Amino acid sequence: MLFKLQSKDKFSKARAGLISTDHGDIPTPIFMPVGTAGSVKAVHQRELKEDINAKIILGNTYHLYLRPGLELIQKAGGLHQFNGWDRALLTDSGGYQVYSLGANRKITEEGVIFKSHIDGSKHTFTPEGVMDIQRIIGADIIMAFDECTPYPCEYGYAKKSMDLTHRWLTRCIERVNSTSPKYDYQQTLFPIVQGSVYKDLRMQSAEFIANQHQEGNAIGGLSVGEPHEMMYEMTDLVCDILPQDKPRYLMGVGTPENILECIALGIDMFDCVMPTRNARNGMLFTTQGIINIRNEKWKDDLAPIDAELGGHVSTFYSKAYLRHVIISKEILGAQIASIHNLTFYLWLVQQARQKIEEGVFLEWKNKMVKIVSTRL
């Protein structure tokens, strides 16, 4: 993987760059649709490419390991071959999913013992094992195995957890360096900064991660319930420490407002389930603001979902029709809304990139934050 920094905003820390992988180029800032189990919910791969123009999507190690399982994925030739996606893939290591299991997992120095949410069967994830699993899945970008601390979190626990994540990272790097990709393309490991919402821990973690000299870096443990201003403060702090010439990935973030504010702080990569999850519940993100399509006010609105947006569904279907199929619980409603929201998210980061290149990002960002936060 290569990263080239192409443009910087004069009035903020926003950057435009290009990530090059063996499965294509990724212009940054970028939003990555989440395909947890190898599928972006309610969205066909063709639509991801042609309507949404996604350059990279996510899969999740924990979910793919449990179902369909590594044997089938390897037999298919990796996740790219299994799900028919020929652009870039990133896999989350499963650290967040294991964290969310709560009482169904036990964390030790060696790794994590957990029970499957599917059938209750017992499994163990170690840093080495998770690297091996991601070799088999075959994503272009693979994540280090970490512990994601909850919010709120005591200082002592946050430090202990961060130190464990760092020791695990060393083991992840050693495993990746001592093994080869399973398929005919390269894989790149991203370490993850932790430290909860404590400045000194975040700085310590960012410095440790920067000193590993990997090709990209991630920031985890945010967007887990802390106030947005606290998330921005931690992100700003970490971006000042992580190297300028490597892409920075803020994991699990977030709302359109969050994305714009964090681009301004120097983040290059984002992912979040929000655009598809909220779509299935009738919440639409548009160039004019946020719409709850279930509301009565849209019942007779025959105007396009979003006339300003590219993409087939946003301009082809009316708000009234989308409301009808969602209220009627037609599967098509979830499909249209999901494609629309992802189209909007990709449009938003593409606009951000264009404004950075034009030198007018900060003024545009301040205006857009108000618009995308408005409920219509």
Side-chain angles (χ1 to χ4, degrees):
M1 189 200 84
L2 298 172
F3 178 65
K4 183 179 180 182
L5 202 54
Q6 296 176 315
S7 185
K8 291 184 179 180
D9 182 51
K10 293 180 181 178
F11 306 104
S12 72
K13 298 173 186 176
R15 320 113 59 85
L18 189 71
I19 299 170
S20 297
T21 75
D22 288 338
H23 284 98
D25 292 342
I26 306 161
T28 63
I30 192 67
F31 178 82
M32 303 180 283
V34 177
T36 302
S39 162
V40 178
K41 284 186 172 59
V43 182
H44 193 283
Q45 269 75 316
R46 184 185 67 249
E47 295 158 340
L48 280 169
K49 289 177 68 172
E50 296 176 6
D51 292 341
I52 298 162
N53 196 24
K55 302 296 186 182
I56 177 172
I57 62 173
L58 268 69
N60 182 264
T61 294
Y62 167 84
H63 290 280
L64 291 165
Y65 161 81
L66 290 176
R67 189 167 56 196
L70 301 181
E71 185 178 349
L72 182 57
I73 291 174
Q74 185 164 4
K75 185 178 179 182
L79 186 57
H80 285 97
Q81 295 296 319
F82 186 56
N83 74 353
W85 178 252
D86 60 2
R87 294 184 182 179
L89 274 167
L90 181 150
T91 39
D92 183 1
S93 69
Y96 180 83
Q97 282 67 36
V98 167
Y99 138 82
S100 66
L101 288 171
N104 286 324
R105 53 104 169 113
K106 180 183 178 183
I107 300 171
T108 69
E109 183 67 36
E110 181 60 20
V112 180
I113 302 165
F114 64 93
K115 289 183 180 179
S116 164
H117 71 286
I118 298 169
D119 60 9
S121 56
K122 189 177 286 187
H123 304 268
T124 301
F125 271 5
T126 64
E128 294 83 2
V130 167
M131 295 303 99
D132 293 346
I133 293 167
Q134 290 186 91
R135 285 292 201 202
I136 291 171
I137 295 171
D140 301 88
I141 299 172
I142 63 177
M143 303 305 298
F145 190 51
D146 64 330
E147 185 192 354
C148 179
T149 48
Y151 178 85
C153 174
E154 293 289 335
Y155 181 90
Y157 185 87
K159 185 178 189 315
K160 182 181 176 183
S161 173
M162 179 196 74
D163 289 339
L164 180 63
T165 287
H166 291 173
R167 293 193 297 274
W168 282 358
L169 172 61
T170 301
R171 290 164 59 187
C172 288
I173 293 171
E174 288 174 355
R175 189 61 153 214
V176 167
N177 289 344
S178 65
T179 58
S180 300
K182 296 276 184 191
Y183 314 110
D184 61 347
Y185 52 87
Q186 293 301 308
Q187 294 180 283
T188 302
L189 175 66
F190 278 27
I192 303 172
V193 176
Q194 290 289 351
S196 188
V197 294
Y198 300 103
K199 289 184 183 180
D200 62 325
L201 297 184
R202 281 287 172 181
M203 291 173 68
Q204 185 181 333
S205 188
E207 286 164 0
F208 182 86
I209 266 63
N211 287 331
Q212 304 309 304
H213 305 294
Q214 297 301 299
E215 295 306 312
N217 299 295
I219 304 169
L222 295 175
S223 193
V224 291
E226 79 282 357
H228 287 173
E229 290 309 316
M230 198 172 276
M231 175 177 71
Y232 299 148
E233 183 183 10
M234 294 301 112
T235 300
D236 193 24
L237 195 70
V238 169
C239 282
D240 281 345
I241 297 170
L242 292 179
Q244 291 281 321
D245 61 344
K246 308 286 178 66
R248 304 170 183 143
Y249 165 29
L250 183 58
M251 305 178 74
V253 175
T255 66
E257 176 186 354
N258 292 159
I259 289 172
L260 291 172
E261 295 292 1
C262 291
I263 288 173
L265 299 175
I267 295 295
D268 307 296
M269 305 168 68
F270 302 87
D271 80 287
C272 190
V273 298
M274 182 172 282
T276 46
R277 178 177 289 170
N278 288 23
R280 296 193 299 275
N281 294 318
M283 179 184 281
L284 306 181
F285 300 99
T286 79
T287 57
Q288 308 303 310
I290 301 168
I291 290 174
N292 181 349
I293 202 67
R294 292 177 172 274
N295 287 352
E296 190 80 12
K297 67 186 293 183
W298 310 112
K299 184 178 180 181
D300 301 318
D301 191 332
L302 295 173
I305 298 166
D306 195 340
E308 300 298 315
L309 214 55
H312 181 68
V313 303
S314 305
T315 53
F316 183 82
Y317 294 106
S318 69
K319 298 184 190 75
Y321 179 71
L322 178 54
R323 181 181 183 277
H324 161 66
V325 288
I326 283 183
I327 292 290
S328 302
K329 298 183 179 178
E330 292 285 343
I331 294 171
L332 182 59
Q335 292 178 296
I336 294 171
S338 297
I339 295 167
H340 163 77
N341 276 355
L342 288 174
T343 301
F344 169 78
Y345 266 63
L346 268 294
W347 172 87
L348 189 67
V349 292
Q350 287 161 2
Q351 286 290 299
R353 177 185 171 87
Q354 183 179 324
K355 301 303 179 184
I356 292 166
E357 292 172 337
E358 293 172 358
V360 295
F361 170 78
L362 189 62
E363 180 184 353
W364 172 84
K365 185 271 292 183
N366 290 337
K367 181 182 73 173
M368 282 304 296
V369 161
K370 294 176 183 175
I371 292 172
V372 299
S373 306
T374 302
R375 290 186 176 266
L376 300 176

